[in-house]
Tab-separated table of all heavy atoms in Angstrom:
chain	number	residue	atom	x	y	z
A	1	SER	N	110.993	98.844	111.380
A	1	SER	CA	111.142	100.226	111.844
A	1	SER	C	110.893	100.307	113.347
A	1	SER	O	110.287	99.426	113.945
A	1	SER	CB	110.160	101.143	111.112
A	1	SER	OG	108.824	100.874	111.516
A	2	ARG	N	111.391	101.371	113.942
A	2	ARG	CA	111.203	101.540	115.390
A	2	ARG	C	109.723	101.646	115.738
A	2	ARG	O	109.283	101.112	116.755
A	2	ARG	CB	111.956	102.777	115.885
A	2	ARG	CG	113.454	102.657	115.784
A	2	ARG	CD	114.171	103.687	116.624
A	2	ARG	NE	113.789	105.051	116.282
A	2	ARG	CZ	114.196	106.130	116.951
A	2	ARG	NH1	114.972	105.990	118.016
A	2	ARG	NH2	113.830	107.332	116.575
A	3	LEU	N	108.963	102.331	114.891
A	3	LEU	CA	107.528	102.439	115.161
A	3	LEU	C	106.860	101.071	115.079
A	3	LEU	O	105.988	100.753	115.889
A	3	LEU	CB	106.876	103.405	114.179
A	3	LEU	CG	107.233	104.890	114.313
A	3	LEU	CD1	106.411	105.716	113.325
A	3	LEU	CD2	107.025	105.394	115.716
A	4	ALA	N	107.247	100.248	114.114
A	4	ALA	CA	106.653	98.920	113.980
A	4	ALA	C	106.972	98.050	115.189
A	4	ALA	O	106.155	97.236	115.621
A	4	ALA	CB	107.146	98.248	112.700
A	5	ARG	N	108.178	98.205	115.756
A	5	ARG	CA	108.566	97.398	116.923
A	5	ARG	C	107.842	97.849	118.182
A	5	ARG	O	107.492	97.028	119.032
A	5	ARG	CB	110.080	97.484	117.149
A	5	ARG	CG	110.911	96.768	116.113
A	5	ARG	CD	112.332	96.580	116.602
A	5	ARG	NE	112.959	97.833	117.003
A	5	ARG	CZ	113.645	98.619	116.183
A	5	ARG	NH1	113.798	98.270	114.907
A	5	ARG	NH2	114.201	99.740	116.601
A	6	GLU	N	107.603	99.134	118.318
A	6	GLU	CA	107.075	99.681	119.569
A	6	GLU	C	105.551	99.734	119.628
A	6	GLU	O	104.962	99.565	120.690
A	6	GLU	CB	107.624	101.105	119.781
A	6	GLU	CG	109.086	101.167	120.126
A	6	GLU	CD	109.349	100.798	121.574
A	6	GLU	OE1	108.741	101.392	122.472
A	6	GLU	OE2	110.161	99.883	121.795
A	7	ILE	N	104.922	99.995	118.485
A	7	ILE	CA	103.491	100.313	118.476
A	7	ILE	C	102.696	99.095	118.026
A	7	ILE	O	102.885	98.576	116.922
A	7	ILE	CB	103.217	101.529	117.579
A	7	ILE	CG1	103.927	102.760	118.156
A	7	ILE	CG2	101.716	101.787	117.472
A	7	ILE	CD1	103.919	103.959	117.251
A	8	GLY	N	101.786	98.645	118.887
A	8	GLY	CA	100.975	97.480	118.569
A	8	GLY	C	99.791	97.817	117.691
A	8	GLY	O	99.426	97.068	116.784
A	9	ASP	N	99.144	98.940	117.964
A	9	ASP	CA	97.994	99.339	117.160
A	9	ASP	C	97.791	100.835	117.330
A	9	ASP	O	98.399	101.473	118.184
A	9	ASP	CB	96.728	98.573	117.561
A	9	ASP	CG	96.347	98.788	119.013
A	9	ASP	OD1	95.771	99.844	119.315
A	9	ASP	OD2	96.611	97.898	119.836
A	10	ILE	N	96.942	101.382	116.480
A	10	ILE	CA	96.530	102.768	116.651
A	10	ILE	C	95.007	102.794	116.721
A	10	ILE	O	94.331	101.921	116.190
A	10	ILE	CB	97.064	103.694	115.546
A	10	ILE	CG1	96.498	103.303	114.190
A	10	ILE	CG2	98.574	103.676	115.501
A	10	ILE	CD1	95.850	104.432	113.495
A	11	PHE	N	94.509	103.789	117.413
A	11	PHE	CA	93.073	103.887	117.665
A	11	PHE	C	92.611	105.267	117.231
A	11	PHE	O	93.175	106.289	117.659
A	11	PHE	CB	92.804	103.675	119.159
A	11	PHE	CG	91.351	103.599	119.515
A	11	PHE	CD1	90.618	102.448	119.266
A	11	PHE	CD2	90.704	104.680	120.099
A	11	PHE	CE1	89.271	102.366	119.595
A	11	PHE	CE2	89.364	104.611	120.441
A	11	PHE	CZ	88.649	103.452	120.186
A	12	LEU	N	91.604	105.296	116.357
A	12	LEU	CA	90.999	106.553	115.925
A	12	LEU	C	89.650	106.709	116.613
A	12	LEU	O	88.852	105.772	116.636
A	12	LEU	CB	90.794	106.575	114.409
A	12	LEU	CG	92.021	106.400	113.527
A	12	LEU	CD1	91.646	106.606	112.063
A	12	LEU	CD2	93.133	107.346	113.922
A	13	GLU	N	89.415	107.878	117.171
A	13	GLU	CA	88.144	108.157	117.838
A	13	GLU	C	87.489	109.346	117.162
A	13	GLU	O	88.069	110.435	117.076
A	13	GLU	CB	88.368	108.452	119.319
A	13	GLU	CG	87.095	108.682	120.094
A	13	GLU	CD	87.359	108.892	121.575
A	13	GLU	OE1	87.812	107.949	122.243
A	13	GLU	OE2	87.118	110.030	122.047
A	14	PHE	N	86.264	109.126	116.676
A	14	PHE	CA	85.509	110.164	115.976
A	14	PHE	C	84.412	110.691	116.900
A	14	PHE	O	83.498	109.945	117.277
A	14	PHE	CB	84.878	109.594	114.705
A	14	PHE	CG	85.877	109.092	113.694
A	14	PHE	CD1	86.348	107.783	113.757
A	14	PHE	CD2	86.347	109.924	112.694
A	14	PHE	CE1	87.257	107.302	112.830
A	14	PHE	CE2	87.265	109.457	111.754
A	14	PHE	CZ	87.721	108.147	111.830
A	15	ASP	N	84.499	111.951	117.281
A	15	ASP	CA	83.457	112.585	118.085
A	15	ASP	C	82.276	112.917	117.165
A	15	ASP	O	82.445	113.599	116.145
A	15	ASP	CB	83.976	113.867	118.735
A	15	ASP	CG	85.074	113.585	119.751
A	15	ASP	OD1	85.130	112.459	120.265
A	15	ASP	OD2	85.884	114.493	120.021
A	16	VAL	N	81.086	112.429	117.524
A	16	VAL	CA	79.923	112.577	116.648
A	16	VAL	C	78.763	113.134	117.474
A	16	VAL	O	78.210	112.452	118.326
A	16	VAL	CB	79.506	111.224	116.027
A	16	VAL	CG1	78.361	111.425	115.036
A	16	VAL	CG2	80.689	110.562	115.342
A	17	GLU	N	78.383	114.381	117.200
A	17	GLU	CA	77.257	114.990	117.909
A	17	GLU	C	76.142	115.394	116.959
A	17	GLU	O	75.137	115.931	117.377
A	17	GLU	CB	77.736	116.187	118.731
A	17	GLU	CG	78.668	115.777	119.860
A	17	GLU	CD	78.831	116.864	120.902
A	17	GLU	OE1	78.146	117.897	120.785
A	17	GLU	OE2	79.633	116.661	121.817
A	18	GLY	N	76.298	115.168	115.711
A	18	GLY	CA	75.292	115.473	114.705
A	18	GLY	C	75.756	114.858	113.403
A	18	GLY	O	76.570	113.939	113.388
A	19	THR	N	75.253	115.371	112.286
A	19	THR	CA	75.700	114.870	110.997
A	19	THR	C	77.194	115.128	110.851
A	19	THR	O	77.641	116.267	110.974
A	19	THR	CB	74.945	115.564	109.856
A	19	THR	OG1	73.546	115.350	110.041
A	19	THR	CG2	75.371	115.011	108.510
A	20	PRO	N	78.005	114.092	110.615
A	20	PRO	CA	79.459	114.304	110.562
A	20	PRO	C	79.876	115.080	109.326
A	20	PRO	O	79.172	115.123	108.312
A	20	PRO	CB	80.016	112.871	110.532
A	20	PRO	CG	78.895	112.029	110.028
A	20	PRO	CD	77.630	112.684	110.466
A	21	GLU	N	81.039	115.709	109.436
A	21	GLU	CA	81.614	116.411	108.293
A	21	GLU	C	81.922	115.413	107.186
A	21	GLU	O	82.107	114.220	107.411
A	21	GLU	CB	82.905	117.131	108.713
A	21	GLU	CG	82.729	118.176	109.793
A	21	GLU	CD	81.977	119.404	109.298
A	21	GLU	OE1	82.024	119.668	108.074
A	21	GLU	OE2	81.346	120.085	110.121
A	22	GLN	N	81.995	115.928	105.953
A	22	GLN	CA	82.293	115.056	104.824
A	22	GLN	C	83.655	114.386	105.012
A	22	GLN	O	83.836	113.219	104.636
A	22	GLN	CB	82.267	115.860	103.520
A	22	GLN	CG	82.400	114.992	102.277
A	22	GLN	CD	82.163	115.787	101.007
A	22	GLN	OE1	81.911	116.985	101.046
A	22	GLN	NE2	82.250	115.112	99.865
A	23	VAL	N	84.610	115.121	105.580
A	23	VAL	CA	85.910	114.545	105.937
A	23	VAL	C	85.998	114.575	107.456
A	23	VAL	O	86.337	115.598	108.050
A	23	VAL	CB	87.077	115.332	105.308
A	23	VAL	CG1	88.419	114.725	105.730
A	23	VAL	CG2	86.958	115.337	103.784
A	24	PRO	N	85.659	113.477	108.130
A	24	PRO	CA	85.656	113.475	109.591
A	24	PRO	C	87.080	113.495	110.144
A	24	PRO	O	87.967	112.803	109.631
A	24	PRO	CB	84.950	112.159	109.939
A	24	PRO	CG	85.225	111.267	108.765
A	24	PRO	CD	85.268	112.175	107.560
A	25	ILE	N	87.300	114.286	111.185
A	25	ILE	CA	88.628	114.421	111.782
A	25	ILE	C	88.631	113.685	113.125
A	25	ILE	O	87.884	114.046	114.030
A	25	ILE	CB	89.004	115.905	111.987
A	25	ILE	CG1	88.929	116.655	110.658
A	25	ILE	CG2	90.401	116.008	112.586
A	25	ILE	CD1	89.813	116.097	109.564
A	26	PRO	N	89.480	112.681	113.268
A	26	PRO	CA	89.488	111.904	114.508
A	26	PRO	C	90.541	112.396	115.486
A	26	PRO	O	91.470	113.139	115.126
A	26	PRO	CB	89.857	110.501	114.011
A	26	PRO	CG	90.824	110.786	112.899
A	26	PRO	CD	90.350	112.070	112.245
A	27	SER	N	90.415	111.965	116.726
A	27	SER	CA	91.558	111.954	117.635
A	27	SER	C	92.308	110.654	117.378
A	27	SER	O	91.736	109.661	116.916
A	27	SER	CB	91.099	112.025	119.088
A	27	SER	OG	90.489	113.270	119.357
A	28	PHE	N	93.606	110.666	117.676
A	28	PHE	CA	94.488	109.574	117.253
A	28	PHE	C	95.319	109.120	118.443
A	28	PHE	O	95.939	109.936	119.125
A	28	PHE	CB	95.399	110.106	116.142
A	28	PHE	CG	96.338	109.099	115.538
A	28	PHE	CD1	96.045	108.510	114.322
A	28	PHE	CD2	97.522	108.755	116.162
A	28	PHE	CE1	96.912	107.593	113.751
A	28	PHE	CE2	98.395	107.840	115.604
A	28	PHE	CZ	98.083	107.265	114.390
A	29	PHE	N	95.320	107.817	118.712
A	29	PHE	CA	96.078	107.266	119.832
A	29	PHE	C	97.030	106.189	119.323
A	29	PHE	O	96.617	105.303	118.561
A	29	PHE	CB	95.142	106.644	120.872
A	29	PHE	CG	94.224	107.624	121.525
A	29	PHE	CD1	93.029	107.986	120.922
A	29	PHE	CD2	94.553	108.197	122.742
A	29	PHE	CE1	92.181	108.911	121.519
A	29	PHE	CE2	93.706	109.115	123.350
A	29	PHE	CZ	92.521	109.468	122.733
A	30	ILE	N	98.279	106.265	119.742
A	30	ILE	CA	99.204	105.164	119.497
A	30	ILE	C	99.245	104.321	120.765
A	30	ILE	O	99.327	104.843	121.874
A	30	ILE	CB	100.617	105.659	119.119
A	30	ILE	CG1	101.231	106.541	120.215
A	30	ILE	CG2	100.571	106.428	117.811
A	30	ILE	CD1	102.677	106.927	119.965
A	31	GLU	N	99.137	103.011	120.598
A	31	GLU	CA	99.121	102.101	121.737
A	31	GLU	C	100.321	101.175	121.645
A	31	GLU	O	100.562	100.540	120.612
A	31	GLU	CB	97.805	101.329	121.768
A	31	GLU	CG	96.605	102.273	121.801
A	31	GLU	CD	95.372	101.658	122.422
A	31	GLU	OE1	95.404	100.482	122.810
A	31	GLU	OE2	94.362	102.389	122.520
């Protein structure tokens, strides 16, 4: 697929300032 050819990895970043939510929501980066 085009995404498989172009994208080497993805990076999830979880902002944590206290007890995290039961379902943590990350920021998402395609590299």
